[in-house]
Amino acid sequence: MQISQRLADEFNRAASFLPQVDDDTKPCLVIVGAQVYGYVEPGVGIVVSLHVDTGEIPDVLISPRETVPVHITVNGIDVYSAS
């Protein structure tokens, strides 16, 4: 999958946070339809949870195998990549 820098910038600028509607709502960043939750869980620490099954991800970001490519880094170190 190849997208232009211009399109990537457009997607990044359109990112938003979901409002917290109650005390149980986890903080969530929505980017191109994917939901990225980040929160602290007792006994675990920092949790980052990615949900790509929203049905809102643009076709240009879906691979020929109908998956969503994901790349995860921690402190700039690659820890996971899937396409």
Side-chain angles (χ1 to χ4, degrees), residues 6-65:
R6 180 196 61 76
L7 186 56
D9 291 343
E10 182 180 319
F11 286 150
N12 291 333
R13 282 191 302 273
S16 63
F17 287 96
L18 288 182
Q20 290 197 254
V21 295
D22 57 36
D23 289 342
D24 294 329
T25 303
K26 306 282 193 263
C28 179
L29 168 70
V30 178
I31 185 160
V32 295
Q35 296 177 348
V36 183
Y37 294 85
Y39 54 95
V40 176
E41 186 170 310
V44 176
I46 297 172
V47 176
V48 177
S49 177
L50 172 65
H51 297 256
V52 295
D53 57 352
T54 65
E56 299 177 18
I57 296 174
D59 289 342
V60 69
L61 293 175
I62 299 175
S63 77
R65 296 185 330 205

Side-chain angles (χ1 to χ4, degrees), residues 65 67-72 80-83:
R65 296 185 330 205
T67 60
V68 179
V70 174
H71 186 88
I72 299 172
Y80 180 82
S81 187
S83 54

